[in-house]
Amino acid sequence: MSEDHTHVREFFGSRAADWDRRFPEDGPAFTRAVADFGLRAGDRVLDAGCGTGRALPALRATVGPAGTVIGADVTPQMLAAAREAGRDEVATLLLADVARLPLRTGVLDAVFAAGLIAHLPDPESNLRELARVVRPGGHLALFHPIGRAALAARHGRELSPDDLRAAPNLYPLLSAAGWETTSYADEDDRFLVVAVRRP
């Protein structure tokens, strides 16, 4: 999500209508990741870069009717697909850039971000913005429904030591942005990193 959103919007906008149909097996992985995230009833959670909103129903089910669920994405077509799927019934959808969220400081308990980090032009600054909107002690989940090796294979690439999601790169990046990593899982069927917002 760069300052000029043209490339991101073109890439995801042209794929939004059939995004969920392209990856139908991902649904259970989203549900499992939300379950493992440690949210509680009544929590206020943001799905940053929510796309078609595949995590939103699980987030709503976890935080319950007293909780708040917001889905933010920079691509209008993705949000339109989320509405078409009825996911606006379980969450508030925002057309917004995660680099400049229209949210008050410390207003959230948690941020869930699926597939987001690879699309951040300034990861440290952008992760710091996510930290800004989360209260101290709140949580961040960086998720992908398949692990790094499986994702690289899907795209016909080799794993790179420069991959931001590699533990030696991600731990210091999160720390510099105000997060303390509490768990790191990079498995064939999921990538899930959980971090806590430092005071």
Side-chain angles (χ1 to χ4, degrees), residues 3 11 32 93-94 100 104 108 122-123 125 135 137 149 167 195:
E3 292 297 321
F11 180 86
R32 178 180 166 210
L93 300 180
L94 294 177
R100 292 181 309 277
R104 294 190 317 272
L108 300 174
D122 186 351
S125 175
R135 63 169 175 79

Side-chain angles (χ1 to χ4, degrees), residues 7-31:
H7 173 71
V8 170
R9 284 179 170 152
E10 286 178 356
F11 180 86
F12 287 104
S14 65
R15 293 163 173 79
D18 68 343
W19 189 262
D20 289 359
R21 288 190 294 274
R22 289 179 64 200
F23 306 107
E25 68 281 0
D26 289 351
F30 274 83
T31 301

Side-chain angles (χ1 to χ4, degrees), residues 10 21 26 31 37 42 48 53 60 67 74 92 100 107 124 127 131 138 142 158-159 173 185:
E10 286 178 356
R21 288 190 294 274
D26 289 351
T31 301
F37 187 21
R60 169 57 66 196
V74 76
T92 300
R100 292 181 309 277
V107 71
E124 182 179 327
L127 289 168
L142 298 176
E158 296 288 326
L159 268 181
L173 177 63

Side-chain angles (χ1 to χ4, degrees), residues 1 5 8-9 12-13 16 46-53 70-80 82 92-98 101 114 116:
M1 302 213 182
H5 299 305
V8 170
R9 284 179 170 152
F12 287 104
L46 169 70
D47 184 352
C50 68
T52 62
I70 302 168
D73 202 277
V74 76
T75 306
Q77 296 93 325
M78 282 289 192
L79 294 176
T92 300
L93 300 180
L94 294 177
L95 181 63
D97 181 359
V98 299
L101 290 165
L116 179 68

Side-chain angles (χ1 to χ4, degrees), residues 2-199:
S2 61
E3 292 297 321
D4 176 6
H5 299 305
T6 303
H7 173 71
V8 170
R9 284 179 170 152
E10 286 178 356
F11 180 86
F12 287 104
S14 65
R15 293 163 173 79
D18 68 343
W19 189 262
D20 289 359
R21 288 190 294 274
R22 289 179 64 200
F23 306 107
E25 68 281 0
D26 289 351
F30 274 83
T31 301
R32 178 180 166 210
V34 169
D36 290 347
F37 187 21
L39 294 170
R40 298 168 299 183
D43 275 354
R44 298 156 298 177
V45 60
L46 169 70
D47 184 352
C50 68
T52 62
R54 290 180 292 177
L56 297 175
L59 291 169
R60 169 57 66 196
T62 303
V63 304
T68 299
V69 180
I70 302 168
D73 202 277
V74 76
T75 306
Q77 296 93 325
M78 282 289 192
L79 294 176
R83 289 186 189 93
E84 189 170 317
R87 292 168 182 151
D88 57 333
E89 296 174 11
V90 298
T92 300
L93 300 180
L94 294 177
L95 181 63
D97 181 359
V98 299
R100 292 181 309 277
L101 290 165
L103 298 170
R104 294 190 317 272
T105 297
V107 71
L108 300 174
D109 297 296
V111 172
F112 184 88
L116 179 68
I117 195 166
H119 302 286
L120 298 176
D122 186 351
E124 182 179 327
S125 175
N126 301 152
L127 289 168
R128 191 176 295 117
E129 172 65 357
L130 295 181
R132 180 189 68 79
V133 299
V134 174
R135 63 169 175 79
H139 292 84
L140 169 69
L142 298 176
F143 168 71
H144 198 283
I146 58 176
R148 293 171 55 242
L151 185 61
R154 177 187 280 179
H155 294 292
R157 296 192 308 254
E158 296 288 326
L159 268 181
S160 166
D162 297 330
D163 185 347
L164 285 179
R165 292 160 293 194
N169 301 327
L170 188 58
Y171 276 60
L173 177 63
L174 285 167
S175 181
W179 300 98
E180 180 180 346
T181 306
T182 58
S183 67
Y184 181 98
D186 182 13
E187 303 156 357
D188 285 345
D189 60 350
R190 74 164 177 174
F191 176 87
L192 180 63
V193 175
V194 177
V196 174
R197 171 73 165 92
R198 291 199 307 267

